[in-house]
């Protein structure tokens, strides 16, 4: 394969990554705008839908082996403590208890950037891992855990963010978290130039991923080789962590992820549970299964950090923004992490002067993990709220104000975007929700139930990047198998990859089998997160398919004794342009080969130089607010986005609807609550940590304003997972303000906050 | 301490030794390896474990959707259980096909639960109304799809049956439910005979289990060690009317009350009140007695029954006692009841006057209230003859607002008296701050709910502006 190595730059969350990546030298041209595509873009049903609707899909959660044993974890009841003594003698008496891990077995297993251990004698939050027991049954393991006797030295804790900011706060982690600062122009000058200044403070709660399938692993040793079934969004991350934690060659670890019940970022990295299961399994010589319960899911496997955001915006009478100050702080738990959320303020609009500071504080709580558009969801809510405030103060329509500050280049370095159809999104969205006709002055109207309209914009990366590879095997009968080490976590990756291959080879998708999620057989593929998967792996699949077509063409030319430029290809048949009777189909071609299968490897090409790659969009919300009970009911959401080419209308709609509902949950319902006095987590189940139900689902319209983005990659597509969720909460919050004329600045917007705000307004 | 039970799972007779403290989900997934039924929480909050339970009553099988993660295995004895595996045929059925076509299954982990809820809805109705079908899956959480695709699938499903009533045969002909269903009844009858022979030995109880929706959430590990009596297997599962009195059997479920046509004559809004309580799967299991005995300060049933001035009939080995429900609650989770007391019946007078129930929670369904309240009022020419007001979430117990009721009795319905009633009510409550809201908020909200009662009762006389 003709490839070269390049330094590949891309954004993961708000960190610019640079890594070497192998990319093809000759780049496949994107499909032209006017080319009619037969498979790509069509609303094909998911390839794996049959297994799912019939309940036959086997998830890691369902995986079992004969002789399988079950592991359970002991977690700290205290938010901050040192373990003085662990006595396991009672716990291991029962013959059904097979093995145990304690901090004594984990001295070499660094975790959380070396600030902790797999099992540590210092526990830093209610839920921190202390020991792990493997037993015949879950009940045996749980009983044994209750028999472990521990002597704790209980230390003062801090779970309240405002207290954590104080110098007097108990020290939680030695690793220092440095504030991140970004400056452009001169903030003070910018504020001086301004005719109006608005200033406000917003906050958001910690949110928890809570995918429906709990985090779980099933592990099995075969001699020196370890087989890991894992509910993961990143098989390679799991493989590499397990290998290095166990000190065995990566090639001895095979990680398989087939079906999984959602991730949303929480399953991007390897969990402690997987490593503990592998260690215990080795110890007892039997396969081991470990499944987290819902309480552990809410304690210990990541969350979206909280935020407090102090924002100040200066603007001229004509609406141009002259200055933005964003001072944000939040917590990402007890270990190194980031609560940064200033990116939307930095990049959404044109603004010459700004100062943005992000500070993260430790508290005694579970660590953060990426959660669908990290930072952006919180940041966009606050920033788009203050943008609305500024527009109101200027007497401008919120959309007009945003358009006024539209930037055609990346405001950071003035580079052009590969595409930016944000204004088109405003127009399409406003039109659909009938913004002009429907939206009234804030607080307008009487009656118990008041209606309001609001909107917010969105920016995210999502263009994908190398490295990602795909192997394509074409069989003698015209069926094909595409193999890539990415995962389908419910997003439809199996389906869109098949559509891409089908498009190139002109064979029906049902003849294409897609194999993903197995480090034992797949070449490297992107993690399933950050809207990276489709735009990273899709082009690799296309590259592999195009290479296959070239290969077939040269074979056909040889067999038909014609030069390649004399050949035409259609639906599995090569024919001579001059003499239609001269044809070669797959069976004819393969009849001449010794092998019954041809193989090509494709790679994701480099991203274009000199461009900023982003997704854009705007969402519009209509809400009803009951002024008697304080309940907010979202009636309608319109989402209008620029995401490049639509690969599959059905899976795209799904992603958008799911993202919008997750945004709605973040806006109105979801909130991790810790009792600051005891430091214990209170929202340990799905009754107290509330996810939206079907009843909360409003009417939703999804409009895609882009046809394709032909600069971005060979399939012209950008990711959609994160863009879908980013602006929802901001749009809802602005709509609530528009309904009742008081702004709720703290998410989630629960009935109590609405009632209190209304009460204080009436006073 | 194992116990043998017999039941039919899908099309198979299953006779197994079980620990009576276990739940149906464990039998299905662990023993029978029917892993199509999922588990997402084990606390009744997600619906991933939804299966259908068929119970033989008066020669008919009544099906309903339940959360198998909280369904006591003892209650499954003698029942027909239908899981996703049991409705699979050679090809996808209509519901499955709609999910397939609409992309209503993304990661798919919630999908079997949704499909079973919808299948149960088909089996329990003979006509489909879009809104009702949507409500039937309000207890099923999906984190991926945002539900729109599921709504579309439901829309399609309802148009399939538009304005037509249907029978079981129609469902079978359309391939929506398996064709072995009609034969199940005879097979259940033969197992049920075995059960009644054994029920005697179940009487020497230590712990009474109703629907299990409280016990299996609170103390699942303890149940493994108790001798259990599965009271829902007995015959107090009836709603009877004698004169102007209603007798609710203690094992009557929330859903039975919600759908009782007789009760609806007296409480036309009954369906609406109970739509707000838990989820369908929970309502199908949760019993009235369980709700009263768990003594949750926001127990929906308790609050409603308090405002109906209900009495309870309790029995133990020695005696039968009757007293007012409002005298049952002593303090937080403390009841005026002995360990061996069994609630048998709940009795109340059918109302002449007006009745209303209000509940506010963060989420609209599948939620426990922050605050709730019920009120019964009977007036003659604007003068209050009888009034009962209750509140939940505003005290350590479900609260009967004695002084407020005393004040309003005999008074005229007007703005001043209502404001005064609310002021008095406010002195009777003592809410605390918790996950569901701060004390101040609950106080504020409770007053709003009281206003809401009056606004609903007297829309002509009282306006929102009067009560501000
Ligand atoms: C997801 C979810 C949502 C919920 N939402 C609500 C809600 O919105 N509103 C609300 O009010 N409740 C709600 N609940 C609580 C639920 O309604 C109650 O747990 C239920 O009514 C209890 O009934 P049960 O029959 O399942 O009780 P069980 O768990 O069987 O028993 C509860 C207690 O009652 C005792 N008991 C049962 N029957 C008798 C009897 N006949 N005599 C004496 N003692 C008896 C048991 O020994 C036990 O102590 C919810 C629960 C869940 C899981
Ligand atoms: S597993 Fe969630 S309701 Fe049963
Ligand atoms: S499809 Fe993933 S939870 Fe519903």
């Amino acid at each position: 394969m003709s490839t070269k190595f390049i330094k590949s730059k891309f954004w993961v969350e708000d960190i610019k990554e640079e890594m070497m990546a192998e990319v093809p030298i000759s780049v496949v041209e994107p499909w032209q705008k006017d080319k009619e595509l037969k498979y790509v873009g069509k609303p094909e049903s998911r390839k794996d839908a049959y297994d799912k609707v019939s309940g036959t899909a086997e998830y890691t959660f369902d995986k079992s082996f004969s002789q399988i044993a079950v592991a359970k974890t002991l977690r700290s009841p205290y938010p901050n403590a040192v373990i003085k003594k662990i006595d396991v003698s009672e716990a291991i008496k029962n013959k059904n208890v097979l093995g145990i891990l304690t901090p004594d077995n984990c001295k070499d297993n660094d975790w959380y950037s070396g600030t902790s251990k797999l099992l540590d004698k210092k526990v830093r939050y209610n839920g921190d891992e202390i020991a792990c027991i493997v037993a015949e049954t879950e009940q045996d393991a749980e009983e044994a855990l209750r028999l472990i006797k521990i002597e704790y030295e209980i230390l003062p804790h801090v779970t309240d963010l405002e207290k954590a900011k104080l110098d007097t706060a108990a020290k939680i982690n030695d690793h220092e978290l440095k504030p991140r600062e970004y400056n452009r122009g001169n903030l003070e000058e910018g504020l001086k130039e301004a005719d109006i200044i608005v200033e406000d403070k917003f906050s958001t709660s910690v949110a928890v991923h809570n995918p429906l399938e709990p985090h779980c692993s099933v592990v099995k040793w075969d001699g020196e080789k370890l087989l890991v079934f894992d509910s993961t969004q990143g098989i390679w991350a799991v493989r590499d962590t397990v290998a290095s934690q166990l000190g065995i060659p990566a090639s001895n670890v095979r990680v398989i992820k087939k079906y999984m019940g959602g991730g949303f970022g929480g399953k991007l990295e390897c969990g402690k549970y997987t490593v503990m299961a592998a260690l215990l399994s080795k110890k007892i010589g039997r396969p081991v299964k470990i499944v987290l319960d819902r309480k552990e899911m809410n304690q210990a496997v990541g969350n979206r950090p909280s935020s407090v955001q102090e924002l100040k915006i200066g603007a001229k009478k004509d609406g141009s923004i002259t200055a933005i100050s964003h001072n944000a702080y939040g917590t990402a738990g007890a270990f190194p992490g980031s609560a940064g959320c200033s990116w939307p303020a930095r990049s959404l609009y044109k603004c010459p002067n700004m100062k943005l500071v992000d500070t993260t504080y430790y508290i005694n709580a579970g660590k953060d993990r990426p959660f669908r558009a990290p930072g952006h969801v919180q940041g966009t809510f606050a920033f788009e709220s203050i943008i609305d405030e500024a527009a109101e103060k200027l007497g401008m329509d919120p959309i007009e104000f945003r358009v006024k500050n539209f930037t055609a280049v990346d405001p950071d370095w003035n580079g052009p975007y590969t595409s930016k159809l944000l204004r088109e999104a405003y127009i399409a969205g406003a039109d659909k929700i009938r913004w002009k006709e429907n939206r009234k002055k804030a607080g307008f109207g009487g009656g118990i139930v008041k209606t309001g309209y609001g909107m917010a914009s969105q920016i995210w990366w999502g263009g994908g990047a190398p490295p990602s590879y795909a192997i394509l095997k074409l069989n003698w009968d015209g069926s094909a198998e595409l193999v890539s080490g990415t995962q389908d976590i419910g997003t439809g990756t199996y389906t869109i990859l098949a559509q891409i291959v089908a498009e190139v080879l002109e064979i029906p998708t049902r003849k294409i089998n897609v194999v993903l999620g197995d480090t034992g057989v797949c070449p490297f593929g992107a993690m399933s997160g950050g809207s990276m998967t489709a735009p990273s792996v899709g082009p690799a699949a296309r590259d592999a398919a195009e290479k296959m077509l070239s290969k077939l063409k040269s074979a056909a030319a040889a067999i038909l004794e014609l030069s390649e430029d004399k050949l035409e290809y259609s639906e599995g048949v090569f024919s001579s342009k001059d003499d239609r009777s001269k044809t070669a189909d797959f069976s004819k071609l393969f009849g001449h080969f010794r092998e019954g299968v041809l193989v090509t490897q494709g790679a994701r090409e480099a991203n274009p130089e000199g461009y900023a790659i982003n997704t854009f969009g705007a969402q519009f919300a209509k809400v009803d607010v009951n002024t008697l009970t304080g309940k907010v009911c979202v009636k309608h959401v319109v989402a209008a986005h620029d995401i490049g080419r639509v690969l599959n209308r059905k899976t795209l709609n799904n992603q958008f609807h799911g993202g919008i509902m997750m945004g709605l949950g973040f806006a109105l319902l979801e909130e991790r609550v810790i009792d600051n006095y005891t430091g214990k987590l209170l929202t340990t189940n799905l009754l107290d940590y509330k996810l939206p139900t079907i009843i909360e689902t409003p009417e939703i319209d999804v409009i895609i304003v882009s046809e394709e983005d032909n600069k971005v990659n060979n399939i012209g597509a950008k990711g959609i997972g994160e863009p879908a969720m980013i602006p929802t909460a901001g749009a809802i919050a602005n709509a609530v303000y528009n309904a009742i004329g008081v702004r709720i600045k703290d998410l989630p917007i629960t009935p109590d906050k609405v009632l209190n705000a209304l009460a204080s307004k009436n006073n | 301490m194992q116990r043998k039970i017999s039941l039919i799972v899908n099309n198979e007779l299953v006779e197994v030794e079980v620990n009576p403290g276990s739940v149906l989900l464990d039998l299905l997934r662990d023993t029978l390896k029917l892993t199509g039924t999922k588990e997402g929480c084990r606390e009744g909050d997600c619906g991933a474990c939804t299966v259908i339970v068929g119970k033989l009553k008066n020669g008919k099988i009544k099906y309903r959707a339940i959360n198998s993660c909280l369904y006591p295995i003892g209650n499954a004895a003698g029942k027909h259980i239908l899981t996703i595996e049991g409705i699979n045929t050679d090809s996808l059925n209509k519901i499955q096909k709609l999910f397939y076509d609409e992309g209503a299954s993304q990661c798919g982990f919630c999908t079997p639960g949704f499909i079973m809820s919808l299948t149960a809805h088909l089996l329990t109705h003979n006509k489909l109304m879009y809104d009702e079908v949507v409500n039937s899956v309000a207890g099923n959480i999906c984190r991926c799809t945002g539900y729109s695709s599921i709504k579309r699938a439901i829309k399609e499903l309802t148009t399939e049956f538009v304005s037509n009533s249907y029978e079981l045969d129609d469902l079978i002909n359309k391939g929506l439910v398996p064709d072995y269903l009609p034969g199940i009844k005879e097979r259940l009858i033969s197992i049920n005979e075995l059960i009644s022979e054994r029920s005697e030995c179940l009487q020497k109880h230590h712990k009474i289990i109703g629907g299990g929706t409280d016990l299996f959430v609170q103390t699942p590990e303890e149940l493994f060690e108790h001798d259990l009596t599965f009271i829902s297997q007995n015959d107090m599962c009836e709603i009877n009317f004698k004169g102007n009195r209603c007798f609710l059997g203690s094992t009557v479920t929330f859903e039975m009350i919600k759908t009782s046509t007789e009760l609806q004559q007296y409480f036309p809004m009954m369906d609406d009140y109970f739509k707000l309580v838990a989820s369908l799967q929970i309502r199908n299991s949760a019993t009235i007695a369980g709700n009263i005995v768990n003594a949750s300060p926001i127990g929906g049933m308790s609050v409603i029954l308090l405002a109906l001035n209900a009495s309870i009939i309790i029995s133990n080995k020695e005696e039968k006692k009757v007293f007012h429900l409002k005298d049952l609650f002593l303090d937080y989770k403390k009841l005026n009841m002995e360990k061996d007391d069994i609630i048998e019946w709940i009795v109340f007078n059918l109302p002449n006057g007006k009745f209303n129930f209000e509940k506010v929670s963060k989420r609209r369904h599948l939620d426990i209230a922050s605050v709730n309240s019920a009120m019964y009022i009977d007036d003659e020419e604007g003068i209050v003859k009888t009034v009962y007001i209750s509140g939940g979430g505003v005290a350590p117990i479900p609260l009967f607002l004695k002084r407020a009721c005393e004040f309003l009795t005999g008074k005229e319905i007007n703005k001043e008296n209502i404001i005064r009633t609310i002021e008095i009510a406010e002195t009777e409550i003592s809410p605390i701050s918790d996950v569901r809201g701060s004390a101040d908020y609950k106080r504020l909200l409770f007053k709003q709910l009281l206003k809401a009662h009056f606004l609903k009762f007297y829309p002509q006389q009282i306006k929102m502006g009067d009560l501000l």
Side-chain angles (χ1 to χ4, degrees), chain B residues 414-416 418-419 451 455 458-468:
Chain B
N414 59 31
K415 182 177 144 186
E416 290 70 32
I418 291 174
I419 291 180
K451 288 176 197 169
L455 289 171
Y458 303 104
Q460 302 308 323
Q461 295 94 315
I462 308 292
K463 296 278 175 276
M464 176 73 178
D466 296 338
L467 302 179
L468 277 179

Side-chain angles (χ1 to χ4, degrees), chain A residues 244-522:
Chain A
S244 62
Q245 286 283 333
L246 269 69
I248 57 176
S251 54
N252 281 6
V253 182
R254 177 174 175 192
V255 178
I256 298 178
K257 178 254 133 210
K258 183 113 200 278
Y259 289 107
M260 84 181 253
F264 314 111
K267 293 176 180 171
L268 281 168
E269 54 200 76
C270 176
K272 284 187 175 183
Y273 49 91
T274 315
V275 176
M276 295 192 294
L279 287 168
L280 286 167
S281 172
K282 176 112 199 165
K283 224 173 180 170
I284 66 168
R286 283 171 56 173
V288 170
K289 180 168 187 170
I290 189 161
V291 179
L292 273 62
D293 64 27
R294 201 43 71 176
K295 183 174 179 184
E296 297 177 290
M297 292 288 293
N298 279 282
Q299 286 176 319
V301 286
N303 51 67
R304 181 189 300 283
S306 65
S307 74
V308 176
Q309 303 177 52
E310 296 159 352
L311 275 152
K312 194 192 261 187
I313 287 191
K316 291 205 173 128
K317 279 207 192 80
D318 71 353
S320 39
I321 298 174
T322 58
I324 297 173
S325 159
H326 189 221
N327 182 33
Y329 58 92
T331 181
F335 306 95
S338 167
C341 60
S342 62
W343 199 274
R346 172 165 162 179
S347 58
L348 252 177
Y349 303 110
K350 185 156 58 189
C351 172
N353 306 296
M354 58 172 66
K355 177 173 177 170
L356 316 171
V357 185
D358 284 302
T359 315
T360 305
Y361 295 100
Y362 288 120
I363 64 165
N364 290 105
K367 185 183 148 21
D368 71 331
R369 277 190 190 178
F371 185 174
R372 206 167 193 167
H376 277 59
V377 171
Q378 310 88 295
T380 302
F381 150 68
F383 186 58
E384 286 288 90
S385 294
I386 195 124
I387 287 287
D388 252 36
E389 290 188 40
E392 187 175 40
K393 194 152 182 179
L394 287 162
M396 286 176 86
D397 176 88
I399 300 176
E400 189 192 341
F401 182 55
R402 285 169 170 88
V403 170
K404 174 80 194 166
N405 291 289
F406 177 85
T407 170
V409 293
D410 184 320
D412 221 6
W413 59 284
N414 293 323
Y417 293 106
T418 54
S419 85
K420 179 170 181 177
L421 302 175
L422 183 57
R423 283 173 302 196
E424 288 76 354
Y426 292 148
I427 293 168
D431 199 44
K432 183 83 199 172
I433 204 148
R434 299 167 54 85
W435 180 260
K436 283 234 158 59
E437 298 86 330
N438 285 332
R439 186 171 179 276
K440 304 275 168 354
K441 211 170 132 298
F444 184 88
I448 292 180
V449 177
K450 292 186 160 208
T451 301
Y453 290 81
M455 57 84 61
S457 328
Q458 160 264 319
I459 183 169
W460 178 254
W461 299 282
S468 262
Y469 309 100
I471 292 171
L472 184 64
K473 303 177 193 170
L474 181 72
N475 299 312
W476 56 271
D477 61 352
S479 67
E481 184 169 84
L482 185 85
V483 187
S484 178
T486 187
Q487 350 1 253
D488 186 332
I489 62 170
T491 45
T493 314
Y494 286 115
T495 318
I496 56 158
L497 292 180
Q499 287 174 277
I500 290 168
V501 173
E503 190 66 51
V504 177
L505 294 183
E506 301 183 37
I507 53 178
T509 47
R510 68 181 158 76
K511 291 182 95 173
I512 301 166
N513 181 34
V514 179
V515 177
L516 308 174
D518 184 344
T519 63
V521 301
C522 303

Side-chain angles (χ1 to χ4, degrees), chain B residues 72-359:
Chain B
I73 194 70
N75 286 358
K79 303 269 169 66
H80 179 215
I81 313 295
L82 205 49
T83 71
I84 185 88
E85 289 85 356
I87 62 163
N88 278 336
T89 49
D90 297 342
S91 56
L92 297 179
N93 75 29
K94 180 78 189 174
I95 300 177
Q96 291 171 317
K97 187 78 177 55
L98 286 170
F99 267 58
Y100 184 104
D101 290 341
E102 297 296 342
S105 176
Q106 237 165 290
C107 80
F109 203 74
C110 66
T111 307
F114 273 95
I115 289 176
M116 295 320 287
S117 284
L118 291 172
T119 306
H121 188 87
L122 287 177
L123 283 170
T124 46
H125 290 72
N126 56 16
K127 228 176 184 167
L128 292 189
M129 309 276 282
Y130 174 73
D131 285 343
E132 285 182 7
V133 188
V134 168
N135 276 326
S136 77
V137 293
N140 293 77
I141 295 282
C142 173
R143 191 63 157 157
C144 302
T145 60
Y147 305 103
S148 302
S149 48
I150 297 170
K151 280 181 150 178
R152 282 197 308 274
I154 291 175
K155 188 122 237 163
E156 284 293 312
L157 182 69
T158 37
T159 47
E160 176 90 351
F161 288 94
V162 69
S163 69
N164 288 332
S165 61
Y166 59 85
E167 306 281 329
L168 181 61
D169 280 349
D170 300 317
L171 296 179
I172 293 171
N173 291 338
K174 284 179 188 285
L176 276 158
V177 298
D179 58 7
Y180 58 77
L181 282 194
I184 297 288
K185 194 176 87 186
E186 293 308 316
R187 294 160 68 187
L188 269 194
I189 290 174
S190 59
I191 319 179
N192 271 291
E193 280 157 10
L194 295 173
I195 302 260
S196 47
E197 277 167 32
R198 252 200 314 267
S199 63
E200 272 311 293
C201 69
L202 301 187
Q203 294 302 323
K204 292 188 282 316
H205 56 82
H206 288 113
K207 190 87 197 159
I208 303 158
I209 272 203
T213 63
D214 185 45
L215 284 172
F216 277 105
V217 173
Q218 306 302 337
T219 52
E221 62 286 346
E222 280 175 26
L223 299 179
F224 274 106
E225 285 126 37
H226 271 91
D227 205 356
L228 304 169
T229 293
F230 298 98
I231 194 166
S232 291
Q233 295 289 59
N234 293 351
D235 277 334
M236 284 171 290
C237 200
E238 279 173 14
I239 304 177
N240 296 332
F241 297 87
K242 286 186 197 137
N244 73 333
R245 301 215 293 173
C246 173
F247 287 73
L248 295 175
S250 62
T251 58
V252 164
T253 62
F254 278 39
E255 190 62 13
M256 285 174 67
I257 297 180
K258 177 174 177 283
T259 52
S260 153
T261 42
E262 288 99 334
L263 283 175
Q264 254 169 31
Q265 291 170 12
Y266 297 94
F267 305 95
M269 302 293 288
M270 194 60 107
D271 194 64
D272 277 354
Y273 306 154
F274 280 90
K275 238 172 28 198
L276 302 176
V277 176
S279 63
L280 175 61
Q281 293 94 318
I282 296 287
R283 290 195 303 267
N284 271 332
S285 285
T287 65
I288 320 177
N291 196 256
I292 293 174
V293 175
N294 96 25
S296 156
I298 40 176
M301 201 68 227
S302 302
V303 166
I304 287 175
L305 290 170
L306 279 173
L308 290 170
N309 197 26
S311 303
I312 50 179
I313 301 175
I314 288 181
S315 76
N316 58 30
K317 277 181 226 108
E318 279 92 45
E319 52 171 348
K320 247 191 197 343
K321 313 178 262 196
V322 183
F323 53 85
H324 276 307
L325 181 62
K326 58 181 181 243
D327 299 327
L328 181 71
F329 304 110
L330 301 178
D331 202 344
Y332 181 67
K333 299 252 168 189
K334 254 211 216 113
L335 296 177
N336 185 11
M337 250 172 93
E338 303 295 323
K339 192 167 174 295
D340 268 6
D341 284 352
I342 294 185
I343 298 184
E344 288 194 340
W345 296 92
I346 293 109
V347 192
F348 60 88
N349 286 338
L350 292 165
N352 296 318
K354 312 176 178 72
F355 184 83
N356 188 39
F357 175 67
E358 295 282 335
K359 161 180 171 173

Side-chain angles (χ1 to χ4, degrees), chain A residues 52 59 62 650 657 691-692, chain B residues 38 101 106-107 147-148 363:
Chain A
K52 287 171 178 174
Y59 295 77
D62 303 323
K650 201 176 276 182
H657 287 257
L691 305 177
Chain B
K38 303 300 179 202
D101 290 341
Q106 237 165 290
C107 80
Y147 305 103
S148 302
R363 196 161 51 185

Side-chain angles (χ1 to χ4, degrees), chain A residues 94-114:
Chain A
N94 182 341
K95 68 170 187 353
N96 286 347
V97 174
L98 306 168
I100 183 164
L101 283 181
T102 67
D104 292 330
N105 311 104
C106 303
K107 296 204 172 90
D108 298 328
N109 296 91
D110 280 354
W111 210 267
Y112 299 134
S113 326

